Amino acid sequence: MEPDAISTLYREISGYPTPISAFVTANDYMALLNGTSFTLCTEWSQTETVRGARLHYAQQWTLIQNYRQETDINIQPPSPCSLLHGEFLSSYSLSGDLKAVVRVTSGQVVVQQFLEVWSNRCLKKILDLSALNKHGRVYEDAQFGCLAWSTCESRLLYVAEGKRSIGESYASASSPSAGEPRAGPSEGPSEKDKSVYWEDWGEGLTSKSVPVLCVADVAKGTVTVLQGVPSHVSPGQGLWAHDGESVFFVGWWHEPFRLGLRFCSNRRSALFCLDLEGNCECLSGDTSSVSSPRLSPDGRYLVYLEGQVFGPHSQCLSMQQYDLETRKISVLVDVVNRPKKDEFAGLYEALPPRCWASDSQRVVFSSARRNWRDLFVVDRTTRRVTRMSAPEKFGSWKLLTIQNDLMVVHCSHLNEAPRLVVAFLPLAGGEGEVSWDHLGESCLLGAIVNVLDVSPTPQEENPEYSGLDFGALLVTTNHLPSRTKVPLVVFVHGGPHSQFFAEWNVTTAVLVKLGFAVLMVNYRGSTGFGQDSIFSLAGNIGSQDVKDVQRAVLTALADQTAEKLLTLDPDKVVVMGGSHGGFLACHLIGQFPDFYKACAVRNPVINAATLLGTSDIVDWRYSSVGLQYSYDQLPTPEALTTMLQKSPITYAPQIKAPVLLMLGGKDRRVSPYQGLELYRSLKSRGSPVRLLWFAEDAHSLARVDTQADCFLNVVLWFQQHLYLH
């Protein structure tokens, strides 16, 4: 456990690449005697800690479908990896013959943006977006961003920042339509307006304020900002209608002011259709939240996800179907309130960009099911949802694409690094029997994974939502002598409405390799266990979730049967977590001061009352403690008292465990001064505390060098206070 050895191990395990996108092209001109050839183009991300960078590279496979048995795939050796330089955003045309790339270059004075169109042979067209001066920075994020080809493959739809007019404030209630022309950057603000405040969309979207829909005509070399977007919404997630004469998009309400969008599926929004003449129509209801619109191959059906506004920031969603011919909306997949153990548990994540089967009758998607992420298909006519993944074979599954009925899935497990598997979607009715083939060799970690199903005691039950259970994942090494006593790291996820999947996790993998056992807890309120579980946490943070984590720890410690290879050491238990996970970790060391020997937290919520005025999701500060929220809400003494009473700062005098705090100076979700509040409280009492301040990082502490620094410090902190030298 020397620092250099820890860093070397972290560098090795964090360097396993992760697939992030895939595109399939049918090579009709390469049809073989025994099958049809497909080209699979994939993009991967790889962490490189020496330079503190995330590398993106491309790799291709040729796959041959066997005519004699359609499910058989002959996989040819992959091409060498090729590094992608400066690709900000990219998209293949429907035929696969063209690839559009938004490339950003940084000069000494300004940042330049180019839109490139590549054919199979060469660069076909380039547009200097900065010189055209129609808009600001192109959006690349998953919330708003898109780069969509029209069916004729002559136009591209994307989202960019609208140009700001002189004296105009995005914070103003009289914000102009997103399609209205704006003054160029060269004109600049007047002297009296140069310091005016411009709203943005919060954590992870700080450079996004007023998005506009843009169309690039490849042949003409022109860019047009579409007119007609309603002035009260901000557009994103655009896609073309089948005829290429109109576009669909999601519009988020930004009045009276913007709330944080990242990780929040509960923002008021609707599905719109806008033709190229500027006529706009709302297709969905306007009192819900919507996302992920996806058009069927025949151009008749739109599916999208729908949820409630406000309340839990991430909820179980329904899948809606809009029939463009009859103009009727129907529910394709409904919200699941309380799933049975091995059944479909609901929809909790965005649909992949290409999720329709070629018959326009079925939609394939990934979603959480208890401690797993599984692969499902829903039949549009029968509404039947069928699971197609086999967790015991490949772990957790995430669909990257389905094209020509070829599914490309990213699979991983807590003891197996990410890899790709492929299969053809069987005919309707046969989806339960899918023949999967993997691409490349698996990289196994010497670890044992135990899935725990945990039930609260009668005293810990929620009377309004009784009978709920929850889950946990216990990961231990298989490289130590039998009956070795190992220290236990309790790892608590944030959110709180998120979860730990049984999938590759670098932090867990390295900790286990170093000889720790890791317990990852999905307490009540985590996604994947139904809507009732999510709603049960409202008003009960700081109590129900704390009790669940402690119950999971006691369950793991008690499950030490004779056949267990390792024994968890009850005298060497530590806890770590970030955001709401940090909130829970600090509660645990305060409520159980003699149980935990050390604590490490990233950007924790410490005092919900003082966080109220500084967070980009102020609505959640009310909802989490069981209070209703409205935009004109003013804090009351009663509300602030409730928030304070549910906060870990009230337990600070009882804390005995040494605390390591890791804070991002640019965190918009949980102010770094939350952590400083605990730091000062502990310092005043002489309690051991150490604070790491990352001035240029935000809530996720996602920079490569930051993550490596944090991990090293966490391990050394645990080593020091567990006396593991």
Side-chain angles (χ1 to χ4, degrees), residues 96-162:
D97 293 336
L98 301 173
K99 181 183 179 181
V101 175
V102 175
R103 200 177 303 275
V104 177
T105 61
S106 298
Q108 293 182 346
V109 181
V110 296
V111 174
Q112 289 186 293
Q113 300 180 108
F114 300 93
L115 176 60
E116 304 167 354
V117 176
W118 292 83
S119 69
N120 292 327
R121 295 183 297 173
C122 62
L123 177 65
K124 184 177 180 180
K125 192 79 174 184
I126 184 167
L127 281 71
D128 187 338
L129 300 180
S130 300
L132 289 172
N133 198 27
K134 296 290 185 178
H135 52 71
R137 188 76 175 258
V138 174
Y139 284 22
E140 86 297 350
D141 61 275
Q143 187 68 47
F144 290 101
C146 65
L147 185 59
W149 284 91
S150 61
T151 52
C152 63
E153 303 192 354
S154 64
R155 289 177 291 190
L156 283 155
L157 173 69
Y158 62 95
V159 179
E161 180 70 13

Side-chain angles (χ1 to χ4, degrees), residues 280-356:
C280 192
E281 176 186 7
C282 182
L283 303 182
S284 65
D286 61 1
T287 59
S288 302
S289 68
V290 306
S291 61
S292 298
R294 305 291 185 257
L295 185 66
S296 62
D298 63 8
R300 176 171 175 176
Y301 302 100
L302 265 173
V303 294
Y304 60 93
L305 303 182
E306 183 176 88
Q308 300 179 23
V309 176
F310 293 150
H313 60 85
S314 183
Q315 307 170 17
C316 185
L317 307 172
S318 65
M319 185 188 296
Q320 304 288 324
Q321 173 183 269
Y322 184 89
D323 188 327
L324 291 164
E325 288 190 9
T326 65
R327 301 173 64 85
K328 291 182 178 180
I329 299 175
S330 57
V331 178
L332 195 55
V333 179
D334 211 345
V335 169
V336 177
N337 291 315
R338 193 168 297 208
K340 295 181 180 179
K341 184 175 178 181
D342 294 321
E343 294 184 356
F344 174 63
L347 260 164
Y348 301 92
E349 59 186 69
L351 299 175
R354 289 166 291 274
C355 58
W356 280 94

Side-chain angles (χ1 to χ4, degrees), residues 577 579 582-583 586 601-608 610-611 614 648-649 652 655 659-665 667 669-683 688-693 699:
S579 193
F583 169 91
C586 292
V601 288
R602 297 173 292 104
N603 290 321
V605 176
I606 297 299
N607 185 341
T610 56
L611 180 60
T614 61
I649 192 67
I655 292 176
V659 176
L660 173 65
L661 291 158
M662 295 160 282
L663 309 178
D667 191 344
R669 186 132 302 175
V670 178
S671 166
Y673 292 96
Q674 287 284 296
L676 280 170
E677 197 169 332
L678 179 63
Y679 173 81
R680 289 165 180 155
S681 177
L682 295 176
K683 289 282 283 186
V689 60
R690 186 166 190 250
L691 190 153
L692 304 179
W693 182 274
H699 187 60

Side-chain angles (χ1 to χ4, degrees), residues 341 370-372 391-392 413-416 445-454 470-478 483 486 488-489 500-503 508 512 516-522 529 552-553 555-568:
K341 184 175 178 181
R370 295 185 68 85
N371 302 293
W372 308 92
E392 65 282 356
H413 208 321
L414 285 163
N415 56 8
E416 185 172 4
L445 175 76
I448 301 168
V449 181
N450 290 299
V451 180
L452 306 180
D453 296 317
V454 188
F470 58 99
L473 298 157
L474 178 62
V475 192
T476 55
T477 182
N478 62 2
R483 309 308 297 167
V486 297
L488 175 64
V489 178
F500 281 130
F501 295 109
E503 66 182 13
T508 296
V512 169
F516 293 95
V518 180
L519 181 68
M520 308 163 75
V521 185
N522 287 319
F529 293 79
V553 176
T555 300
L557 290 173
D559 186 24
Q560 300 297 297
T561 55
E563 60 269 17
K564 294 288 184 181
L565 296 177
L566 302 175
T567 301
L568 304 180

